Amino acid sequence: MNHFPRAMRHFVSAMPLSLLVLLPSAEAATVRKPAARPPAAAPKPIVANNSIIPLPLKPIVPAAQRLCGVREPSGLGYTMLRPATGPMPSADATVLVNYIGYLAATGEMFDQGMRSPLPLDGVIPGFAQGLQKVGRTGVIRLCIPAAMGYGDQASGPIPANSDLVFQIELLDFRTPAEMEEMRKATSGEPAPQQDAPPQP
């Protein structure tokens, strides 16, 4: 106990032996360096894959995103993914949409579009009816039975008798009268004039 000052010797000698074990020793007080770790192995280099990616890319939509929560008597199903308030398009409106279409059975995507203008009287019945349920900025998932889609006719990558699923974001829509006004404005035709009040 030579390393303790004189006043401490008396105190330490009166301490129980078990507490002396807790006092730091000169050896324990030295800072030990952690053992050196071996250097980490270098990651394996990425090897080029020279296979050709088949085009067009056909992402597969998961099964849970091919289901709809509401089913109407007509067979049309839908799930409102982002509700919107306000007016909804009529059956003769032209809509501006972002959409993705995929097969209900496999989830294979067959079509997509961004800022696509579509006249509702020129699309499949399930698409037209479903879009009349959502307002501007809304997003809807439509589950369209084959009878409300292309029926027993194949259409491009869509096999005959295929149930379809669409996710559609309604950006905007116009009535036929608004579309006619827009057409006239871009073609240079004068807009119809309203009766002007008499000038004094």
Side-chain angles (χ1 to χ4, degrees), residues 107-192:
E108 185 175 325
M109 185 188 77
F110 59 80
D111 194 14
Q112 66 179 326
M114 298 290 291
R115 300 190 59 77
S116 301
L118 301 171
L120 287 185
D121 58 4
V123 297
I124 59 174
F127 195 98
Q129 288 178 28
L131 263 179
Q132 294 174 63
K133 298 181 177 307
V134 64
R136 286 180 180 92
T137 73
V139 179
I140 192 169
R141 178 184 302 140
L142 298 177
C143 297
I144 302 173
M148 297 181 78
Y150 295 99
D152 60 1
Q153 301 294 313
S155 178
I158 303 171
N161 299 310
S162 291
D163 293 340
L164 309 175
V165 182
F166 286 90
Q167 177 181 294
I168 310 163
E169 178 182 18
L170 179 60
L171 302 172
D172 201 2
F173 65 89
R174 298 283 187 257
T175 65
E178 291 170 322
M179 292 301 292
E180 181 62 21
E181 288 299 316
M182 290 170 61
R183 187 190 66 75
K184 287 179 181 177
T186 58
S187 69
E189 291 181 34

Side-chain angles (χ1 to χ4, degrees), residues 2 8 39 47 51 55-56 73 181 183:
N2 291 336
M8 289 291 287
V47 178
S51 62
L55 294 176
E181 288 299 316
R183 187 190 66 75

Side-chain angles (χ1 to χ4, degrees), residues 67-138:
L67 303 173
C68 289
V70 177
R71 186 73 58 177
E72 295 187 334
S74 66
L76 178 66
Y78 68 92
T79 297
M80 199 61 65
L81 300 174
R82 183 173 66 212
T85 57
M88 298 175 191
S90 60
D92 58 355
T94 297
V95 296
L96 184 66
V97 294
N98 294 332
Y99 72 93
I100 178 172
Y102 42 100
L103 300 174
T106 63
E108 185 175 325
M109 185 188 77
F110 59 80
D111 194 14
Q112 66 179 326
M114 298 290 291
R115 300 190 59 77
S116 301
L118 301 171
L120 287 185
D121 58 4
V123 297
I124 59 174
F127 195 98
Q129 288 178 28
L131 263 179
Q132 294 174 63
K133 298 181 177 307
V134 64
R136 286 180 180 92
T137 73

Side-chain angles (χ1 to χ4, degrees), residues 32-66:
R32 293 186 182 157
K33 294 181 181 177
R37 292 183 182 179
K44 292 183 180 182
I46 297 173
V47 178
N49 179 339
N50 294 330
S51 62
I52 296 172
I53 298 169
L55 294 176
L57 287 176
K58 300 229 180 198
I60 303 298
V61 176
Q65 291 178 311
R66 292 183 249 154

